[in-house]
Amino acid sequence: MKYVIIEDDQNTVKIIANIISENFSEISFKGNASSISNGIQLIKNTNPDVIFLDVNLDDGEGFEILKSFPSPNFKIIFITSYSKYAIEAFKFSALDFVLKPFTPTEIINAIRKVIKENSNTNYLEKISTLYHNHISNNKKIILSNSENIHVVTIDDIIYAESDNSYTTIFTKNGEKILVSKSLKSFEEKLTPYLFFRIHQKFLINLKCIKRYHKKNDEIILLNNITLAVSKGKKESLIHFLKSL
């Protein structure tokens, strides 16, 4: 395997190269670049299997490099300093990233993950979703299970239902997508996009509410879906709805 590093901090380049040389003798370093234009040329010249790509380069965003490779045959390990937006984008697309400052273990684990990512079709779906979320306000999320990788627009989700460590996502077009992730993990990702946990079992899209039945403590969503609101969430939900 061959790899390159596109990073404008030379100290970071040296650290990554040292970690890989000490732990992966089968992976060879083919060079580094510090700008978008040089990075594109480096990739074309070396045809690497893996790229370490800094999200924020001196002359722009590392995402710009992806425009020149719409169907990449390489894997990318993104490097970023703390950015709430960037972290959300990676989580929604189910792609891994390394957060600065990183440890050797994090670099080693990132390499191992891209080596295991043997389905190029799935990887292209993830890259496409990441780039879409970067340039669009209409965000998408990757939902993976044993059978498929689903790319779903967040606004198309009506609600999510918990079943222990599994969650079923219900969409406007009638799809039911079961994934092996907890409802809490979706709550953390989707709350900033007007999703609200009305019950231990239910996370709803507030944009999909048709009405709230106070007497029965029930919420009626699109497609006439009726869900129970727990007593502990009732007051917070009413307050939230009034603030919209």
Side-chain angles (χ1 to χ4, degrees):
M1 291 182 65
K2 301 176 293 184
Y3 79 97
V4 298
I5 303 173
I6 303 174
E7 161 68 64
D8 51 24
D9 180 65
Q10 290 304 304
N11 188 49
T12 299
V13 172
K14 292 177 182 177
I15 292 172
I16 293 173
N18 286 338
I19 293 171
I20 295 176
S21 66
E22 292 173 2
N23 293 276
F24 298 93
S25 58
E26 72 278 18
I27 303 177
S28 58
F29 180 46
K30 293 299 179 181
N32 66 282
S34 59
S35 67
I36 293 170
S37 58
N38 289 341
I40 292 171
Q41 196 59 52
L42 177 65
I43 294 169
K44 290 179 178 179
N45 291 343
T46 61
N47 191 29
D49 300 292
V50 180
I51 295 171
F52 282 88
L53 177 60
D54 189 1
V55 172
N56 299 300
L57 298 167
D58 281 342
D59 61 341
E61 295 181 324
F63 294 115
E64 292 296 309
I65 291 176
L66 300 181
K67 291 181 180 179
S68 297
F69 303 94
S71 299
N73 56 3
F74 49 78
K75 301 298 189 296
I76 305 171
I77 298 174
F78 293 94
I79 311 168
T80 181
S81 300
Y82 177 74
S83 165
K84 182 180 179 182
Y85 168 76
I87 292 173
E88 286 179 352
F90 290 121
K91 287 181 177 178
F92 284 152
S93 61
L95 283 167
D96 290 304
F97 63 96
V98 176
L99 189 63
K100 295 178 182 179
F102 50 77
T103 65
T105 300
E106 288 171 318
I107 296 294
I108 292 168
N109 288 341
I111 286 283
R112 287 174 177 166
K113 285 181 181 179
V114 296
I115 290 174
K116 289 180 180 179
E117 182 67 70
N118 53 16
S119 173
N120 200 50
T121 301
N122 291 348
Y123 192 77
L124 292 179
E125 290 278 14
K126 294 176 182 180
I127 290 291
S128 175
T129 301
L130 174 65
Y131 191 68
H132 169 89
N133 287 344
H134 178 63
I135 64 175
S136 172
N137 291 324
N138 195 17
K139 307 298 184 190
K140 294 183 178 181
I141 187 170
I142 290 283
L143 302 173
S144 301
N145 54 33
S146 59
E147 297 178 350
N148 298 291
I149 284 189
H150 300 266
V151 182
V152 178
T153 301
I154 290 175
D155 281 348
D156 285 341
I157 298 173
I158 300 177
Y159 75 102
E161 181 176 355
S162 171
D163 182 10
N164 296 317
S165 59
Y166 289 84
T167 299
T168 302
I169 305 295
F170 295 80
T171 69
K172 291 178 181 178
N173 64 5
E175 272 192 300
K176 298 179 182 180
I177 304 170
L178 178 66
V179 292
S180 58
K181 287 188 177 181
S182 68
L183 188 62
K184 182 175 178 59
S185 69
F186 286 104
E187 181 182 11
E188 292 171 351
K189 292 178 184 178
L190 297 176
T191 294
Y193 298 91
L194 290 180
F195 279 72
F196 188 86
R197 185 87 173 255
I198 63 167
H199 191 280
Q200 184 177 356
K201 288 189 65 175
F202 304 122
L203 175 71
I204 68 166
N205 184 348
L206 293 171
K207 298 176 187 176
C208 294
I209 290 177
K210 292 178 68 175
R211 66 182 181 276
Y212 174 45
H213 199 297
K214 295 181 181 179
K215 184 177 180 180
N216 295 339
D217 287 335
E218 291 178 337
I219 204 87
I220 293 84
L221 304 173
L222 296 181
N223 301 342
N224 291 319
I225 296 166
T226 302
L227 302 176
V229 178
S230 69
K231 292 182 179 179
K233 294 290 186 177
K234 178 179 179 180
E235 188 174 332
S236 297
L237 177 62
I238 292 173
H239 176 76
F240 205 99
L241 292 175
K242 288 181 177 179
S243 69
L244 292 176

